[in-house]
Amino acid sequence: MDKTQRNLNIGIYAHVDSGKTTLSEALLYLSGAIRKSGRVDHGDTFFDTYSLERSRGITIFSKQAELDFSENTHVTLLDTPGHADFAPETERTMKVLDYAILIISAADKVTSQVQTLWKLLEHYKVPVFIFVNKMDQPQANKAEIDADIKKRLTDHQVDFSDLFSGSTDPSESSPESQGGAICQIDLKALGENVFQEEIAMCDEALLDNYLENGTEVSLNDITSLISERKLFPCLYGSALKMEGVRELITLLDTFTSTPSYPEEFAARVYKISRDSNGNRLSWLKVMGGTLHVRDVLSLSLKPTAGSSNNSKNTETAEEKIDQIRVYSGDKYELLQEAPAGKIVAVTGLDSSHAGQGLGSLTGDAAGLLQPILSSRIILPEDADPFRVFRQLTELSEEEPLLSINKNEETGDFYVQVMGEVQMEILKHQCMERFGLDISFGPGNIVYKETIKAPVEGVGHFEPLRHYAEVHLLLSPGEPGSGLVFDADCPFDNLAANWQNLILSHLEEFKIRGILTGSEITDMKITVISGRSHIKHTEGGDFREATMRAVRQGLMMAESILLEPVYDFSIELPSESVGRALSDIQRMNGSTNPPDMLADGTSVITGSVPASELHDYAQELLSYTHGEGRLNLSLRGYEPCHNAETVIEEKGYDPDHDLEQPTGSVFCSHGAGTVIPWYEVRNYMHVHTEWLSDDEKRGADTETDLTRLGDSLQSFRSTDIRKEQELSYEERTKAYNATIQELDSIFERTYGPVKPRYDAKADEERKRKAANKAPEKKYKAPKNMNPDNSYLLVDGYNIIYANEELRRLAETDMKSARDKLMDILSNFQGYRREIVILVFDAYRVPGGTEHVLKYHNLDVVFTKEAETADQYIERTAHKYSKNNRVTVATSDAIEQVIIYGAGAIRMSANDFWYEIKRTEDEIRDRLS
């Protein structure tokens, strides 16, 4: 085949402790890049330069090395972490690779982590060479491993070991003794019928040519099949003993090709880090053209959820390349330019972020892996929160999935992590880099939320001299689809620049759901209408309106709480299968029928909620006496199995979320007025009538979730927190807030309320007494007897505040009245105050006021043209002069009136609470 000078970017991937770093050392040694091959257990490997990597014997950060396989092949080798906690760091390197080496441990075979890596490589379309390591161990069985790879990964895996039957003794393998890293391919073995047929079966056209015409598969054909991911070469060996490593180098040198790149400059940032001097490094692959020192690049600024945005502000930054570095281990070489295909680290870019496209490569490459744990960061007592937040933000640039958040109410910092090992690394980084000794609170599961059916969300932002209105269609997406944003709005209704601004705001927001305040996902949000003002609209107005539109839509929708779910595989003795199946059932998991193996062991597969696993791996080892093994891989997010419990524990109140409000702001009498979400539609300036066009708007959208129908547990915002379920502290807080609002309304209507204790008047009395003013006889105030107290009950208002009576009233109002009268009659018999139940009869023609004596209860029906409110107001004024009067109602206007009359107000919910308390006391006395 044609041999030309080429540069290849190759990554090495494996499950933890599979010998990945050992293989990297062998490749470096045999290619002549290092003089001595290091060992992980000796702590002297070329790649593991971080102190914690050497002490723990694991790779934590991805690193690169430069080496030459031959005169024609220069390789940039990326060594990646193998531990599942650092899988996002591993995933980011896949975006810049030409080829990958996937290592499988002969002892462990294909683990769940290997399957996860395989899926990621498949997603990023990276060609793969498979190397089965540790074949020198006694339990290694080539036939079993081959069958396991074909079963769990791919049928197109082909063993290339026979091509190197004349390979040299691995004990003599060194660059000097063998004259280089390349060994010879046995062309005779390449032409064997069995090998040719196995290769041809990977492609239909090649198989037809081979069977019909006898055309042999050439080296170029094999190279093309590998590049197209139709063929996956496999070798067996031992990296520690250099067995099979030289053959792997030969395969990579022989059956690889350099991708073609465009002439226009393009690059992809895959990682952010800092060198020993604190300089910010942007690691990128040049994917087109050439990058020069002092080139000025235009970078799209990464929006933050808390940042303000204005149409006058630019969304890009012009930044200059200061240095171009090519790293090999912890050392680097400076370049003046980097051609296409080169992976380099550059300085001078302060606004870059992982996944960002540069030049002609626009947009960000989002990752698939997401953390499922959230933990509170516990700071030292003398730590400055503002400084700590900046330091944590610096770390989140290097690991974007950390998602550093601050709880505005408590001031606590929260971080999302993949597991406990990552938390330990973060603690070590904070101490080493900032001298900050942090610790972590207990880990919590990261939940997400989505919706069950399409809904229109509307948002309006119109304080004085501002204006924006946004209408969004929120539609459920397929599980795992994430958030998708689109616009389907005529430019005549809303200009293109405003629509683009709305879409950019949607992308920058981390929108919280209304059940637990968790981030939303699996949803398509479409701009369907809106309005701007030619004079008063600014970019920030649409930011506010957009946020309020999404939140209002979520409040209108039926929301679904999602939780992370693992796919699991348990290998254990057959006698322990019953215990394992029982455990999985207890954890609300699902299982497939167990597979019974010939060696007396069984394999159980299925799925289980991540929140239920806890330390089950240790428990499994305990009851199987060390023979059980649990493999996990993240399946995705699915409806939560205990949603009601989680919602109650979180205690999130969307109406009191000041950062992401649910209501809208309208201009009234020259001032901004907040309209609650459930009334916003009545005030909107634009009406879309999207439901009249179901086919176009997607009102019949079906997803894997909606197909579950009524069996899918979903919640409306009104179902989240009913007032009767609130705690005493929450009820008191809500009551005090209502009192303050009523005080404000009363003072605006009747003027300031004079305090009962007047300090000036008291001083005047003391002064007069000192001057021996004549004594005045004061009449002692009459003690209020409970027998002289009255409780006025607004009948219909109380009926509709009770769920049971309300349902009864919808079918038979008389039965609802009779039921309430029975309840109050029982209440009156135990309490000492006089209860008067008032019903409206103002619509009865010719009706007169009449009082019905129902057992021991006074029931009043008002006269024609007199409402219950008017009767209660008149009675409260009459009796409150000499008696204590309490009025039970939730009518806001009536509360203001009776408040001014000197009566005591009692809300409908407090009234029903009092009824229940009285019934409990009666029960206690009778028992």
Side-chain angles (χ1 to χ4, degrees):
M1 62 183 290
D2 181 28
K3 289 281 188 176
T4 57
Q5 182 64 40
R6 62 224 171 116
N7 184 81
L8 297 176
N9 301 299
I10 301 176
I12 299 186
Y13 301 93
H15 179 71
V16 66
D17 292 332
S18 294
K20 175 179 47 57
T21 301
T22 304
L23 179 60
S24 299
E25 290 289 312
L27 293 174
L28 289 168
Y29 174 68
L30 290 177
S31 63
I34 57 176
R35 294 181 178 273
K36 178 179 178 295
S37 177
R39 291 184 52 155
V40 174
D41 51 349
H42 293 171
D44 60 351
T45 59
F46 180 79
F47 281 112
D48 292 342
T49 56
Y50 186 45
S51 59
L52 210 56
E53 291 177 318
R54 294 184 181 276
S55 62
R56 292 186 63 99
I58 61 172
T59 301
I60 297 172
F61 305 106
S62 61
K63 301 180 189 67
Q64 75 178 55
E66 301 294 316
L67 58 153
D68 293 309
F69 282 169
S70 67
E71 295 179 355
N72 305 298
T73 307
H74 178 79
V75 172
T76 298
L77 188 66
L78 296 182
D79 186 35
T80 62
H83 199 285
D85 281 13
F86 309 108
E89 171 90 359
T90 300
E91 181 189 5
R92 283 190 287 273
T93 63
M94 296 181 183
K95 303 170 187 177
V96 296
L97 291 184
D98 301 324
Y99 292 90
I101 302 170
L102 180 63
I103 302 176
I104 298 174
S105 171
D108 299 328
K109 301 185 182 67
V110 179
T111 63
S112 58
Q113 179 67 6
V114 171
Q115 289 179 293
T116 300
L117 293 170
W118 183 264
K119 292 175 183 177
L120 290 172
L121 291 167
E122 183 179 26
H123 173 77
Y124 292 106
K125 298 179 173 59
V126 181
V128 178
F129 291 80
I130 299 174
F131 185 80
V132 181
N133 193 26
K134 301 186 179 181
M135 287 297 294
D136 55 328
Q137 296 186 359
Q139 64 269 39
N141 187 307
K142 185 175 181 179
E144 291 181 1
I145 298 168
D146 183 75
D148 199 40
I149 293 174
K150 290 185 182 297
K151 177 183 177 182
R152 300 178 185 272
L153 299 184
T154 176
D155 288 331
H156 292 179
Q157 168 260 344
V158 177
D159 184 7
F160 274 59
S161 301
D162 292 339
L163 297 186
F164 306 97
S165 57
S167 297
T168 58
D169 184 352
S171 64
E172 299 178 359
S173 292
S174 68
E176 294 79 7
S177 64
Q178 299 300 328
I182 303 298
C183 58
Q184 294 297 317
I185 293 178
D186 188 343
L187 296 180
K188 183 179 178 180
L190 182 64
E192 290 288 340
N193 290 337
V194 175
F195 184 79
Q196 285 280 312
E197 184 176 338
E198 200 170 1
I199 297 293
M201 289 179 66
C202 296
D203 183 77
E204 188 174 344
L206 286 178
L207 183 61
D208 290 342
N209 271 336
Y210 177 75
L211 295 177
E212 295 176 7
N213 306 322
T215 306
E216 289 191 353
V217 179
S218 66
L219 295 178
N220 285 332
D221 290 333
I222 295 176
T223 301
S224 298
L225 289 175
I226 294 173
S227 297
E228 296 168 7
R229 285 184 54 86
K230 294 181 179 179
L231 169 63
F232 303 95
C234 182
L235 287 174
Y236 296 80
S238 170
L240 186 62
K241 296 182 177 180
M242 301 288 179
E243 296 175 359
V245 180
R246 190 181 298 277
E247 289 82 351
L248 177 61
I249 294 175
T250 304
L251 282 186
L252 292 168
D253 183 69
T254 306
F255 298 114
T256 54
S257 60
T258 305
S260 59
Y261 298 102
E263 295 184 0
E264 186 178 4
F265 171 73
R268 173 76 69 192
V269 179
Y270 74 92
K271 173 183 172 181
I272 303 296
S273 69
R274 282 170 172 77
D275 64 12
S276 56
N277 295 321
N279 297 313
R280 191 178 192 269
L281 300 177
S282 300
W283 298 76
L284 55 87
K285 178 185 179 181
V286 182
M287 308 184 79
T290 304
L291 178 65
H292 302 86
V293 173
R294 299 192 181 181
D295 277 353
V296 177
L297 302 182
S298 179
L299 277 69
S300 298
L301 297 178
K302 185 178 182 180
T304 57
S307 62
S308 60
N309 205 328
N310 192 292
S311 60
K312 298 179 183 179
N313 294 337
T314 122
E315 297 182 356
T316 61
E318 304 291 326
E319 296 180 351
K320 184 174 66 174
I321 301 295
D322 291 335
Q323 291 182 340
I324 300 177
R325 302 180 181 180
V326 176
Y327 272 86
S328 190
D330 56 354
K331 298 180 180 179
Y332 64 87
E333 175 187 353
L334 292 177
L335 300 181
Q336 290 301 310
E337 62 179 33
K342 195 73 175 174
I343 292 181
V344 295
V346 301
T347 63
L349 302 183
D350 296 326
S351 305
S352 59
H353 56 270
Q356 183 177 28
L358 304 177
S360 61
L361 194 62
T362 58
D364 290 358
L368 297 181
L369 299 179
Q370 297 292 329
I372 65 168
L373 292 176
S374 176
S375 181
R376 181 172 68 93
I377 298 178
I378 303 173
L379 303 178
E381 292 184 1
D382 58 344
D384 180 3
F386 296 101
R387 183 179 178 185
V388 170
F389 186 73
R390 287 196 303 270
Q391 294 168 341
L392 293 175
T393 302
E394 182 179 309
L395 288 179
S396 69
E397 289 182 350
E398 302 170 22
E399 178 47 78
L401 295 185
L402 288 179
S403 298
I404 306 295
N405 292 315
K406 181 180 180 181
N407 187 312
E408 296 299 334
E409 292 185 4
T410 63
D412 293 331
F413 296 116
Y414 288 85
V415 62
Q416 293 185 6
V417 293
M418 299 293 291
E420 293 186 2
V421 176
Q422 188 182 13
M423 286 194 283
E424 182 182 340
I425 303 305
L426 283 174
K427 178 180 175 65
H428 187 272
Q429 281 184 292
C430 287
M431 175 58 73
E432 184 179 67
R433 190 182 297 186
F434 310 120
L436 183 65
D437 186 15
I438 65 170
S439 56
F440 293 90
N444 299 310
I445 295 294
V446 176
Y447 293 91
K448 294 189 178 183
E449 298 181 28
T450 188
I451 58 175
K452 184 177 181 180
V455 66
E456 181 189 17
V458 293
H460 190 96
F461 187 70
E462 191 190 0
L464 190 61
R465 296 188 182 88
H466 293 268
Y467 187 94
E469 181 166 309
V470 175
H471 291 248
L472 303 174
L473 178 62
L474 281 62
S475 306
E478 291 292 343
S481 61
L483 293 178
V484 179
F485 308 111
D486 195 11
D488 184 17
C489 175
F491 294 151
D492 292 341
N493 294 354
L494 188 64
N497 63 311
W498 295 126
Q499 293 190 39
N500 292 333
L501 185 60
I502 293 172
L503 292 175
S504 68
H505 288 321
L506 288 172
E507 291 177 356
E508 82 177 57
F509 291 145
K510 288 189 177 179
I511 304 167
R512 292 191 280 268
I514 54 92
L515 300 179
T516 61
S518 303
E519 193 173 338
I520 62 172
T521 187
D522 298 343
M523 200 182 303
K524 181 179 181 181
I525 303 179
T526 307
V527 182
I528 58 174
S529 191
R531 180 174 290 180
S532 63
H533 191 281
I534 192 171
K535 181 178 179 182
H536 293 151
T537 299
E538 297 181 0
D541 299 343
F542 272 102
R543 184 182 190 279
E544 289 287 342
T546 301
M547 169 62 76
R548 295 167 191 270
V550 179
R551 294 279 286 175
Q552 195 272 342
L554 294 175
M555 295 294 285
M556 296 287 293
E558 293 183 63
S559 293
I560 302 167
L561 185 65
L562 304 176
E563 66 176 347
V565 175
Y566 279 120
D567 279 332
F568 69 85
S569 172
I570 299 177
E571 299 177 20
L572 74 174
S574 296
E575 59 268 20
S576 301
V577 167
R579 163 72 184 273
L581 291 175
S582 175
D583 289 344
I584 297 302
Q585 184 179 12
R586 173 177 52 82
M587 293 187 287
N588 293 280
S590 60
T591 61
N592 301 316
D595 293 332
M596 312 295 287
L597 303 182
D599 59 358
T601 62
S602 297
V603 178
I604 305 174
T605 59
S607 61
V608 64
S611 60
E612 299 292 330
L613 279 172
H614 305 298
D615 296 326
Y616 188 70
Q618 297 298 324
E619 185 179 341
L620 176 66
L621 287 173
S622 175
Y623 73 75
T624 60
H625 307 290
E627 296 183 29
R629 187 174 66 171
L630 174 65
N631 292 321
L632 298 172
S633 62
L634 185 63
R635 177 190 183 98
Y637 275 80
E638 296 181 0
C640 185
H641 72 285
N642 59 338
E644 291 184 353
T645 302
V646 174
I647 292 172
E648 184 178 355
E649 289 176 354
K650 295 289 185 181
Y652 176 70
D653 186 354
D655 286 325
H656 289 79
D657 190 335
L658 300 181
E659 290 185 358
Q660 297 191 6
T662 58
S664 289
V665 180
F666 289 82
C667 188
S668 177
H669 304 292
T673 302
V674 178
I675 302 299
W677 63 269
Y678 49 84
E679 296 181 5
V680 165
R681 290 180 176 275
N682 300 329
Y683 292 82
M684 280 293 154
H685 298 172
V686 178
H687 299 281
T688 60
E689 299 181 356
W690 70 277
L691 287 177
S692 64
D693 194 359
D694 293 348
E695 185 175 354
K696 179 179 179 183
R697 300 304 186 191
D700 296 329
T701 301
E702 253 196 2
T703 69
D704 287 348
L705 288 181
T706 59
R707 293 185 191 103
L708 295 175
D710 295 335
S711 63
L712 181 64
Q713 190 177 26
S714 58
F715 303 83
R716 291 191 179 275
S717 56
T718 52
D719 298 334
I720 303 172
R721 300 277 285 169
K722 295 182 179 179
E723 187 172 348
Q724 56 265 34
E725 298 174 355
L726 298 178
S727 66
Y728 175 78
E729 291 78 8
E730 292 170 322
R731 289 167 60 88
T732 302
K733 183 177 179 181
Y735 176 82
N736 291 336
T738 307
I739 288 295
Q740 292 174 4
E741 184 176 0
L742 291 175
D743 283 340
S744 176
I745 295 173
F746 185 84
E747 290 183 1
R748 287 199 301 268
T749 306
Y750 302 104
V753 179
K754 294 182 179 180
R756 295 186 178 183
Y757 173 76
D758 191 332
K760 291 185 177 179
D762 189 54
E763 289 294 330
E764 181 66 16
R765 285 194 295 271
K766 290 181 179 179
R767 184 184 64 79
K768 290 181 178 181
N771 293 333
K772 298 182 180 180
E775 294 185 1
K776 295 183 179 180
K777 295 182 180 180
Y778 293 96
K779 187 176 180 180
K782 182 170 64 176
N783 292 329
M784 294 231 177
N785 191 316
D787 294 332
N788 297 328
S789 300
Y790 289 85
L791 173 62
L792 302 178
V793 181
D794 187 344
Y796 290 127
N797 186 282
I798 294 299
I799 286 176
Y800 282 101
N802 182 277
E803 186 67 21
E804 180 184 356
L805 294 182
R806 183 183 64 78
R807 287 199 301 267
L808 184 60
E810 290 175 354
T811 57
D812 188 350
M813 179 56 76
K814 183 178 183 307
S815 298
R817 286 200 303 264
D818 292 344
K819 178 75 171 177
L820 178 61
M821 290 160 61
D822 287 336
I823 293 172
L824 287 179
S825 177
N826 189 42
F827 178 81
Q828 171 73 86
Y830 185 76
R831 301 291 287 261
R832 301 178 66 180
E833 59 260 52
I834 300 171
V835 181
I836 302 176
L837 177 61
V838 184
F839 287 111
D840 280 323
Y842 69 96
R843 291 186 178 179
V844 180
T848 59
E849 178 183 313
H850 63 283
V851 179
L852 171 67
K853 194 69 175 180
Y854 185 80
H855 301 307
N856 58 344
L857 179 68
D858 292 321
V859 184
V860 177
F861 292 89
T862 63
K863 62 185 178 181
E864 180 186 6
E866 183 181 41
T867 65
D869 297 351
Q870 292 171 325
Y871 178 87
I872 289 174
E873 179 188 356
R874 175 163 54 86
T875 306
H877 275 285
K878 177 180 178 181
Y879 288 104
S880 60
K881 296 176 182 178
N882 300 312
N883 307 91
R884 185 176 68 184
V885 178
T886 303
V887 178
T889 180
S890 286
D891 188 309
I893 297 177
E894 188 176 346
Q895 288 175 349
V896 174
I897 294 172
I898 60 109
Y899 195 67
I904 301 170
R905 63 171 286 276
M906 177 187 289
S907 70
N909 285 318
D910 289 337
F911 169 78
W912 284 111
Y913 175 79
E914 195 67 22
I915 291 289
K916 184 178 182 304
R917 189 178 68 83
T918 301
E919 290 176 349
D920 292 342
E921 287 186 10
I922 294 174
R923 242 181 251 107
D924 292 341
R925 284 182 175 271
L926 293 177
S927 59

